[in-house]
Amino acid sequence: KLNTALEEAAEIEETPQSMNGNRPDTAGTLDVVLVGCGMPKKGMGWYHLTQLLEMKNVNVRAIVEPFFLNDELCPAIPPAFAQLVASLESKGVMAVSSVDDLEKFEKPTLCLIAGRTPDNPKLFRQCVNKGASIIFLEKPGAPSVKELEEMRDLANERDVMVYIGYNKNVTPYVQSAVTLSRKTPNSQVSFVHNNSYDTSDLPECFTRNSEGMLKNMAIHELALLVTFFNVTVDTISDFKVDTSKEVSEKLTIWQPGTSMPDPVYITDFSRVKFEITTKNGTKVSVQANRCGGNVSRAEVRDSEGKELEQFEFPDAKKMEKVDAMVKADPEMMPYFFVQSDDYQELKDRVVGAHAKNVAGARAEGVATINVAIEALKLAEYGTEKLNTALEEAAEIEETPQSMNGNRPDTAGTLDVVLVGCGMPKKGMGWYHLTQLLEMKNVNVRAIVEPFFLNDELCPAIPPAFAQLVASLESKGVMAVSSVDDLEKFEKPTLCLIAGRTPDNPKLFRQCVNKGASIIFLEKPGAPSVKELEEMRDLANERDVMVYIGYNKNVTPYVQSAVTLSRKTPNSQVSFVHNNSYDTSDLPECFTRNSEGMLKNMAIHELALLVTFFNVTVDTISDFKVDTSKEVSEKLTIWQPGTSMPDPVYITDFSRVKFEITTKNGTKVSVQANRCGGNVSRAEVRDSEGKELEQFEFPDAKKMEKVDAMVKADPEMMPYFFVQSDDYQELKDRVVGAHAKNVAGARAEGVATINVAIEALKLAEYGTEKLNTALE
């Protein structure tokens, strides 16, 4: 009933071709067709439309929406868009799915194209063929210089005037800086453009803006250089890159929506700074930072480098106004409010110049397609210059194979090779490395990094990783891309493998073949029980001791709960594991942890059940799922990085709760929640169900310490600080047991590969039980 009622309410009648716009008979108006609308309050085209509808000298004839009005791509029109179409039709504005659905324009017509950049060339040609006399393209106009030049040539051939929506060309803070610069002989202007992304947002940012920073974020500033300073590729005499990491950084990031064994990586700049000198001596610089905050600025300096004035945008007054608007309408994209005046100014100038249909009219100060072509040329030229400069700065010399580690001649040390390092402050392997380097009974021989040190996968090593390698080499620690690049181990050696789970079986075999005597694997060890059993069999055959990094096995809150439980006859322990994801983060979380909740988040608790309560698939008599939605939920979510017409969906649990009873009567329960907060706990109850005590982690004292560390180093993954002591304890126990090379030594309380196999069996068994119960 709901479906029928809402579909009827949203039904769009066939648009009569005689609809002539919202002001068809008003003298002095210019016909406008908007191409590429997007969703209300989200699409750039939609925001242009709201302003166009209010302009007294504009007659909005039609909108073209290639996705939402295309039955094949979008079978069910979203209600918000259906309401927009109904509203437009009531005003006499038709809505169609293609420019080809429109009749030939009989009057002078402006087509404002706000589609996706790759679609612009096709949309442009369609508009020209319909008889558009003016075209306004959202920046940068086209994906490449070649395509933009072809569009310019077509426009010239058909006498079409083309503008590009570089709003900074008309924004007051830029105008003020340019005016002051022109009054000051030999002055220099620096344009600083900031976005307010968090570093954790960069994978999504890089993916969505895959044309690259200079063709996307910094293209505004390049258009300013062309317009006001006559900077083009042909007028440049020097392009100087500031390669210090504080202002210029190139990152290679795992692309959301991809996973092993077929990962996709995307490379772009997170921040850049460069200075251009032209052949006539003009100096101008650009600085762009994806994570630099909300405020951008233009700085003007005199000939001696003294700052004359700094013009900021948005200023305090503007931000106060914007904050109020965002509060009043939180669904609206905030940057619409920030840049609203500039968008209106651009359209006012373009429509004002052409509404009276005067031959040769031009909109003053608005970037033309020729400016856009030169800006795009600058972007391609600058990207090449930045890549070269940063690659040279990050160049790593070949590592001598004779390097013997950071403590090669110290008695009582154990040789350690770290396999799978990852980026500093982000990778689990890197954090293990920082602790290993400080351990007096460890000689770190080498690190193996299969991605960042592989020329084919990562042609440009990120500066932060290059600095790490240089630091390690200065300590005598070699860095290689494969375990196969290492010599055979001559002394007892521990290999700590912190690669991605699907890579572990291969890395494990390589380490065993090199002669590793101890292996420490990050949990869960392998993607499947079968692979983990094969690894165990190989280890037994070669006499290799294998541990798994289940840090909760040694964490104090678990130890306290287990101790109390053992003192209390017929007690029951409940392990509650919380993560602090927001529900909006779940698509990325599910994608990145595609093995599923029980093999990822809750695997720690399953290892505890195996270790301390003798729970295995064979000892279970009952597995009871609490199916109430408050504690157990299974979701199917659109996977980031995929889109129509080929969407990919991923299914997993957002939260689960279940109780296990073993054949000997032991009861133990597990509760896990991706969006449950920061605090996990273990609850102990007596035989009658009365709670005896609850042990939390992290407790208030620990959180106070963690908060201080996060504040001091916000780039570090917070969970490193939270679980640092546990990670250290695991390594202390493993290295302590094996550093003296005593036959048969074992690290007390550390999970072995046999525990991991049983935990993984439980995960597969539990996933099946949960699926059945929730379905």
Side-chain angles (χ1 to χ4, degrees):
K1 289 288 185 181
L2 281 161
N3 280 331
T4 302
L6 293 176
E7 284 166 13
E8 287 175 356
E11 193 172 68
I12 300 173
E13 297 177 2
E14 284 297 311
T15 304
Q17 292 302 303
S18 59
M19 297 183 84
N20 293 319
N22 66 325
R23 292 185 182 87
D25 303 314
T26 306
T29 59
L30 177 67
D31 279 6
V32 176
V33 172
L34 176 81
V35 182
C37 179
M39 277 295 286
K41 301 192 179 187
K42 304 298 178 188
M44 187 67 246
W46 173 84
Y47 197 73
H48 280 303
L49 175 65
T50 63
Q51 293 186 323
L52 288 165
L53 289 167
E54 296 296 317
M55 293 173 67
K56 305 300 183 189
N57 55 352
V58 165
N59 176 40
V60 180
R61 283 291 309 272
I63 72 161
V64 177
E65 174 42 54
F67 178 72
F68 293 117
L69 294 179
N70 184 313
D71 293 338
E72 292 183 6
L73 297 178
C74 183
I77 300 173
F81 196 84
Q83 289 166 14
L84 170 66
V85 171
S87 171
L88 290 171
E89 290 180 349
S90 71
K91 295 179 173 69
V93 181
M94 72 172 67
V96 295
S97 64
S98 170
V99 176
D100 292 337
D101 295 335
L102 300 172
E103 293 179 354
K104 195 89 169 173
F105 306 142
E106 296 177 0
K107 298 166 63 179
T109 300
L110 161 66
C111 286
L112 194 159
I113 302 176
R116 293 184 178 273
T117 302
D119 300 335
N120 281 358
K122 177 184 176 183
L123 296 173
F124 183 91
R125 288 191 296 273
Q126 289 176 320
C127 290
V128 170
N129 290 334
K130 283 292 175 183
S133 48
I134 314 110
I135 292 179
F136 180 109
L137 276 166
E138 268 300 322
K139 60 88 187 170
S144 69
V145 170
K146 181 175 181 290
E147 288 167 296
L148 210 50
E149 288 177 330
E150 290 171 353
M151 291 157 69
R152 176 200 59 196
D153 294 344
L154 177 62
N156 290 342
E157 180 188 317
R158 303 287 185 88
D159 196 25
V160 179
M161 185 63 205
V162 185
Y163 300 101
I164 310 289
Y166 285 115
N167 57 289
K168 287 195 177 184
N169 274 37
V170 300
T171 200
Y173 88 101
V174 170
Q175 296 291 325
S176 299
V178 170
T179 300
L180 176 58
S181 168
R182 287 176 174 172
K183 290 178 182 176
T184 310
N186 301 317
S187 61
Q188 179 175 348
V189 180
S190 299
F191 292 107
V192 180
H193 185 173
N194 289 317
N195 284 167
S196 57
Y197 290 99
D198 186 78
T199 52
S200 62
D201 299 326
L202 289 178
E204 187 276 335
C205 172
F206 281 18
T207 302
R208 182 162 42 82
N209 303 302
S210 58
E211 61 267 36
M213 178 186 259
L214 263 67
K215 283 189 178 181
N216 175 271
M217 179 183 178
I219 195 74
H220 288 280
E221 284 65 36
L222 299 180
L224 296 177
L225 269 55
V226 175
T227 305
F228 299 112
F229 300 91
N230 192 33
V231 176
T232 68
V233 171
D234 296 329
T235 66
I236 293 174
S237 68
D238 187 39
F239 190 105
K240 184 180 178 184
V241 178
D242 186 336
T243 58
S244 60
K245 187 173 180 288
E246 290 72 20
V247 293
S248 293
E249 182 182 54
K250 183 179 177 182
L251 298 176
T252 297
I253 296 176
W254 195 307
Q255 184 171 311
T258 70
S259 59
M260 297 297 290
D262 300 305
V264 176
Y265 299 91
I266 190 163
T267 299
D268 197 7
F269 309 107
S270 62
R271 48 185 177 262
V272 297
K273 185 179 181 182
F274 54 88
E275 179 186 86
I276 292 175
T277 305
T278 65
K279 292 171 182 174
N280 69 2
T282 300
K283 286 182 184 287
V284 63
S285 65
V286 172
Q287 186 172 347
N289 190 340
R290 289 286 191 194
C291 308
N294 289 307
V295 179
S296 297
R297 63 186 185 274
E299 304 167 354
V300 183
R301 298 177 181 274
D302 65 16
S303 58
E304 296 179 358
K306 179 184 175 185
E307 185 178 290
L308 301 176
E309 198 164 350
Q310 192 177 109
F311 304 92
E312 291 189 343
F313 180 80
D315 57 22
K317 186 177 178 181
K318 179 74 173 180
M319 277 309 297
E320 186 179 344
K321 180 181 174 184
V322 167
D323 288 342
M325 290 191 286
V326 169
K327 190 174 180 181
D329 192 351
E331 291 184 14
M332 186 83 81
M333 293 297 284
Y335 69 86
F336 292 161
F337 296 132
V338 175
Q339 299 177 5
S340 173
D341 294 344
D342 297 340
Y343 298 145
Q344 186 65 63
E345 179 66 20
L346 282 174
K347 290 190 285 290
D348 284 344
R349 294 191 185 193
V350 171
V351 173
H354 295 277
K356 295 176 182 177
N357 195 23
V358 177
R362 295 288 182 270
E364 185 184 351
V366 182
T368 64
I369 195 167
N370 288 320
V371 169
I373 289 169
E374 295 303 331
L376 212 51
K377 285 181 180 178
L378 276 180
E380 294 179 359
Y381 174 89
T383 299
E384 185 179 339
K385 290 289 187 181
L386 282 158
N387 280 329
T388 301
L390 293 178
E391 284 166 14
E392 288 174 355
E395 196 172 67
I396 300 174
E397 296 177 4
E398 284 297 311
T399 304
Q401 294 299 305
S402 59
M403 299 181 84
N404 293 319
N406 65 326
R407 292 185 182 87
D409 303 315
T410 306
T413 58
L414 177 67
D415 278 6
V416 175
V417 172
L418 176 82
V419 182
C421 180
M423 278 294 286
K425 302 193 179 186
K426 304 298 178 188
M428 187 67 247
W430 172 85
Y431 197 74
H432 280 305
L433 175 64
T434 63
Q435 293 186 323
L436 288 165
L437 289 168
E438 296 297 317
M439 294 172 66
K440 305 299 183 190
N441 54 352
V442 164
N443 176 40
V444 181
R445 282 292 308 271
I447 70 160
V448 177
E449 174 42 52
F451 177 71
F452 293 118
L453 294 178
N454 183 313
D455 292 339
E456 291 183 8
L457 296 178
C458 182
I461 299 172
F465 196 83
Q467 290 167 12
L468 170 65
V469 171
S471 171
L472 290 171
E473 291 178 350
S474 71
K475 296 178 172 71
V477 181
M478 71 172 67
V480 295
S481 64
S482 170
V483 176
D484 292 337
D485 294 335
L486 301 171
E487 295 177 355
K488 195 90 170 172
F489 306 142
E490 296 177 359
K491 297 165 64 177
T493 299
L494 162 66
C495 285
L496 193 159
I497 302 176
R500 293 190 177 268
T501 302
D503 298 338
N504 281 358
K506 177 184 176 183
L507 296 172
F508 183 92
R509 289 190 296 273
Q510 288 176 321
C511 290
V512 170
N513 290 335
K514 282 293 176 184
S517 47
I518 315 110
I519 292 179
F520 180 108
L521 275 167
E522 265 302 320
K523 60 87 186 171
S528 68
V529 170
K530 181 175 181 290
E531 288 167 296
L532 211 49
E533 287 177 331
E534 290 172 352
M535 291 156 70
R536 175 200 59 196
D537 294 343
L538 177 61
N540 289 342
E541 179 188 319
R542 303 286 185 90
D543 196 24
V544 179
M545 185 64 206
V546 185
Y547 300 101
I548 310 289
Y550 285 115
N551 57 289
K552 288 196 176 183
N553 275 36
V554 299
T555 200
Y557 88 100
V558 169
Q559 297 290 325
S560 298
V562 169
T563 300
L564 177 57
S565 168
R566 287 177 173 171
K567 290 178 182 177
T568 309
N570 301 316
S571 61
Q572 180 175 347
V573 179
S574 299
F575 293 106
V576 181
H577 185 174
N578 288 317
N579 282 167
S580 58
Y581 290 98
D582 186 77
T583 52
S584 63
D585 299 325
L586 289 178
E588 187 277 334
C589 171
F590 280 20
T591 302
R592 183 164 41 84
N593 304 302
S594 58
E595 61 267 34
M597 179 186 259
L598 263 67
K599 282 188 177 182
N600 176 269
M601 179 182 177
I603 196 73
H604 288 279
E605 283 63 39
L606 299 181
L608 296 177
L609 270 53
V610 174
T611 305
F612 298 113
F613 300 91
N614 193 32
V615 176
T616 67
V617 171
D618 296 331
T619 65
I620 292 174
S621 69
D622 187 41
F623 190 104
K624 183 179 178 182
V625 178
D626 186 334
T627 58
S628 59
K629 191 169 183 290
E630 290 74 17
V631 292
S632 294
E633 181 183 53
K634 182 179 177 182
L635 298 176
T636 296
I637 295 174
W638 194 316
Q639 184 170 310
T642 71
S643 59
M644 297 296 291
D646 300 304
V648 178
Y649 298 89
I650 189 165
T651 299
D652 196 7
F653 308 107
S654 64
R655 49 185 176 263
V656 297
K657 184 179 181 182
F658 55 88
E659 179 186 87
I660 292 175
T661 305
T662 65
K663 291 171 182 175
N664 69 2
T666 300
K667 286 181 183 289
V668 63
S669 65
V670 172
Q671 185 172 347
N673 190 342
R674 288 288 192 193
C675 307
N678 288 307
V679 179
S680 297
R681 63 186 183 274
E683 304 166 354
V684 183
R685 298 178 182 274
D686 64 17
S687 57
E688 296 179 0
K690 179 184 175 184
E691 186 178 289
L692 301 176
E693 198 164 351
Q694 192 177 110
F695 304 92
E696 291 190 344
F697 179 81
D699 57 23
K701 186 177 178 182
K702 178 74 173 180
M703 275 311 296
E704 186 179 343
K705 180 181 174 185
V706 167
D707 287 344
M709 290 190 286
V710 169
K711 190 174 180 181
D713 193 349
E715 291 185 14
M716 185 84 80
M717 293 296 286
Y719 71 85
F720 292 160
F721 295 132
V722 175
Q723 300 177 7
S724 175
D725 295 343
D726 298 340
Y727 299 145
Q728 187 64 63
E729 179 66 22
L730 283 174
K731 290 190 286 290
D732 284 343
R733 293 190 185 194
V734 171
V735 174
H738 295 278
K740 295 177 182 176
N741 196 24
V742 177
R746 295 291 181 269
E748 184 184 351
V750 182
T752 63
I753 196 167
N754 289 321
V755 168
I757 289 169
E758 295 302 333
L760 212 50
K761 285 181 180 178
L762 275 181
E764 295 180 357
Y765 174 90
T767 298
E768 185 178 336
K769 290 288 187 182
L770 282 158
N771 279 329
T772 301
L774 293 178
E775 286 165 12

